């Protein structure tokens, strides 16, 4: 039976880490910093709801990274100082409270500039693995602190939301080649909100030209992410024992053991990757950054208990920290691969 990572959103908790010198005083400050907790919303959707509620342009809301909707996530956002109205905050929290989906905001303080993509230091993760067999749970518990090396792929959530076709990289590729009609076709296969918005436009080029620039950059960068993944997969195929795995229709080449990544040729330790950012004039600009091709982290194994959702199975709690841009799901996949490999070798 397959081990399950996100049976319910509460099984996947993410806390963002940022080094912001937040002030408790409004004096000379232009932005209020909010902590946004959410479940059932992407970051884009949460930003859209906040912008609509405050009746401001979504481009005026700043955030450092994207968080998925199929977990419980917490991140910082910046809002113009005029949004700092206590009864408005309370009204928003009341409207968006709920058990299945929610967004909550808490004022953290004030800052003199907006939060921007790329300012994130990293994220801490608390994950509950379910449907774990007794033998595998015993193996996990036998080593409570495990160093895991894993390829720093962009995982499937980069390319689409859960239970929907993975199309964001295809949209980005079409846009890169100025094939707006093809990009629109892929868009209509995406999320319900994207489909609805796309159907409101007859002219596909106008639809994308008028799109929120942060979201537009996301599609371009998804295409770049897929090219990066292909490059990394080719390197692993040529240099180490590996296997190919399909996750949600996306192919990944995984090393048999993460330990072989500890001694990777330094020429491949970092990869120069282009990225589209939104500049101060709210225009797309192409920049370059170095992305570590391979990452290591320490995974701590916590409580092991009977799985309330899967009779006869166990739930195992793990936690770890990753730098910005790394995918916890990739770390967990490598962790599970190695645990299973070790168990089979006994």
């Amino acid at each position: 039976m397959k081990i399950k990572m996100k049976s319910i959103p509460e099984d996947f908790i993410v806390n963002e880490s940022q080094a912001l010198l937040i002030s408790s005083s409004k004096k000379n400050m232009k932005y209020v910093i909010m902590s946004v907790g959410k479940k059932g919303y992407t970051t884009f959707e949460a930003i859209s709801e906040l912008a609509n509620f405050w009746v401001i342009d979504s481009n005026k809301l700043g955030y450092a990274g994207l968080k998925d909707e199929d977990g419980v996530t917490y991140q910082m956002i910046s809002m113009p100082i005029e949004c700092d109205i206590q009864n408005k905050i309370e009204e928003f929290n009341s409207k968006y409270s709920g058990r299945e989906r929610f967004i909550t905001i808490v004022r953290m303080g004030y800052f003199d500039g907006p939060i921007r993509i790329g300012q994130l230091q990293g994220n801490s993760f608390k994950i509950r693995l379910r449907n774990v067999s007794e033998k595998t749970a015993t193996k996990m518990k036998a080593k409570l602190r495990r160093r895991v090396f894993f390829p720093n792929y962009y995982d499937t959530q980069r390319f689409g939301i859960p239970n929907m076709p993975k199309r964001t990289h295809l949209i980005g590729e079409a846009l890169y080649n100025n094939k707006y009609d093809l990009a629109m076709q892929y868009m209509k296969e995406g999320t319900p909100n994207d489909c609805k918005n796309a159907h409101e436009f007859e002219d596909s080029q106008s639809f994308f030209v008028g799109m929120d620039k942060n979201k537009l950059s996301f599609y371009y960068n998804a295409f770049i992410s897929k090219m990066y993944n292909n490059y990394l997969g080719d390197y692993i195929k040529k240099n180490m024992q590996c296997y190919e795995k399909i996750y949600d229709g996306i192919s990944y080449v995984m090393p048999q053991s993460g330990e072989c990544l500890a001694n990777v040729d330094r020429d491949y330790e970092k990869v120069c990757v282009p990225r589209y950012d939104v500049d101060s004039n709210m225009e797309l600009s192409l920049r370059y950054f170095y992305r570590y091709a391979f990452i290591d982290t320490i995974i701590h194994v916590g409580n092991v208990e009977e799985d309330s959702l899967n009779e006869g199975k166990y739930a195992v709690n793990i936690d770890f920290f990753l730098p910005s841009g790394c995918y916890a799901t990739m770390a967990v996949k490598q962790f599970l691969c190695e645990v299973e490999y070790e168990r089979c070798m006994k």
Side-chain angles (χ1 to χ4, degrees):
M1 294 290 287
K2 183 179 179 181
I3 293 175
K4 300 176 181 178
M5 198 186 313
K6 296 182 179 180
S7 296
I8 56 176
E10 287 76 11
D11 287 346
F12 198 89
I13 300 174
V14 186
N15 280 279
E16 193 176 76
S17 176
Q18 279 199 62
L20 286 180
L21 296 175
I22 300 174
S23 172
S24 59
S25 171
K26 278 187 177 183
K27 188 176 181 180
N28 298 324
M29 297 298 170
K30 297 179 180 179
Y31 294 88
V32 57
I33 305 300
M34 302 285 193
S35 173
V36 178
K38 63 182 183 63
K39 178 176 78 169
Y41 292 87
T42 66
T43 298
F44 285 134
E45 290 170 341
I47 290 294
S48 178
E49 296 296 338
L50 285 162
N52 290 338
F53 189 84
W54 261 270
V55 196
I56 59 174
D57 192 318
S58 61
N59 287 325
K60 293 184 178 180
L61 305 184
Y63 52 91
L66 301 177
K67 302 291 182 290
D68 303 320
E69 75 282 3
D70 55 345
V72 178
T73 68
Y74 299 90
Q75 67 184 117
M76 298 286 201
I77 70 161
S78 59
M79 303 178 70
I81 196 72
E82 56 266 24
C83 296
D84 184 33
I85 305 171
Q86 181 59 34
N87 63 347
K88 192 85 169 176
I89 296 172
E90 293 172 358
E91 186 182 346
F92 179 89
N93 285 336
S94 177
K95 179 178 179 179
Y96 287 91
S97 64
R99 296 184 62 182
E100 299 302 320
R101 303 177 80 208
F102 68 77
I103 307 174
T104 61
I105 57 173
V106 177
R107 182 197 300 107
M108 303 300 294
Y110 306 94
F111 199 61
D112 59 358
I115 295 175
R116 297 188 185 279
I117 293 287
Q119 292 180 340
L120 181 63
Q121 288 185 306
N123 298 284
S124 60
F125 300 88
K126 293 183 181 295
I127 298 173
R128 180 175 292 112
L129 303 173
R130 294 186 181 271
N131 205 39
V132 182
S133 70
E134 183 177 1
K135 286 184 178 180
T136 300
T138 300
K139 182 65 182 175
M140 290 180 181
K141 194 173 181 179
K143 195 172 183 180
L144 299 180
R145 186 177 183 273
R146 181 186 294 264
R147 189 178 186 185
V148 174
F149 291 86
F150 64 97
N152 194 20
Y153 283 121
Y154 291 93
D155 210 348
T156 57
Q157 54 267 49
R158 178 69 164 177
F159 308 113
I161 68 171
N163 304 315
M164 295 293 291
K166 301 299 181 278
R167 296 287 186 269
T168 60
H169 58 299
L170 299 177
I171 294 170
E173 181 178 12
L175 291 174
Y176 184 81
N177 292 303
N178 296 319
K179 296 181 178 179
Y180 295 103
D181 290 340
L182 180 58
M184 179 68 84
Q185 178 183 323
Y186 289 134
M187 179 70 74
K188 291 177 179 178
E189 298 173 358
T191 67
N193 283 341
D194 287 337
C195 292
K196 179 182 177 182
N197 293 336
H199 281 296
E200 293 176 353
F201 282 77
E202 294 183 4
D203 179 12
S204 56
Q205 184 171 353
S206 296
F207 173 76
F208 288 106
V209 169
M211 179 178 283
D212 177 286
K213 292 299 188 292
N214 284 303
K215 194 164 189 178
L216 190 62
S217 70
F218 171 76
Y219 290 119
Y220 280 110
N221 289 332
F223 170 48
I224 294 171
S225 299
K226 188 62 172 66
M227 291 194 295
Y228 162 88
N229 278 6
N230 293 344
Y231 172 85
L232 186 54
D234 288 343
Y235 174 81
I236 293 173
K237 277 183 182 179
K238 293 176 183 177
N239 292 279
M240 57 195 74
Q241 289 186 323
C242 60
Y243 64 96
E244 189 169 355
K245 187 79 172 179
I246 305 295
Y247 297 107
D248 292 336
I250 305 290
S251 174
Y252 290 87
V253 180
M254 302 294 291
Q256 193 71 53
S257 170
E259 290 184 1
C260 60
L261 302 180
N263 299 308
V264 169
D265 187 329
R266 289 200 174 273
D267 288 341
Y268 292 91
E269 189 175 29
K270 290 182 181 180
V271 180
C272 184
V273 181
R275 179 176 68 195
Y276 285 91
D277 288 332
V278 180
D279 62 24
S280 58
N281 296 318
M282 300 312 299
E283 297 295 335
L284 293 185
S285 61
L286 185 61
R287 302 179 184 180
Y288 294 85
F289 73 103
Y290 281 95
R291 180 178 176 87
Y292 281 97
F294 305 102
I295 296 291
D296 70 293
T297 188
I298 302 297
I299 293 183
H300 300 92
V301 178
N303 291 340
V304 177
E305 55 198 11
E306 292 184 3
D307 188 349
S308 60
L309 301 183
N310 299 281
E311 187 176 356
K313 301 294 182 179
Y314 289 82
V316 179
N317 295 326
I318 60 174
D319 66 81
F320 52 94
F321 177 86
L322 290 176
S324 172
C326 302
Y327 284 74
T329 45
M330 291 308 310
V332 174
K333 287 168 184 173
Q334 188 69 47
F335 167 73
L336 295 178
C337 171
E338 294 185 13
V339 168
E340 186 62 21
Y341 178 75
E342 290 176 3
R343 188 179 71 80
C344 292
M345 293 296 288
K346 294 296 184 180

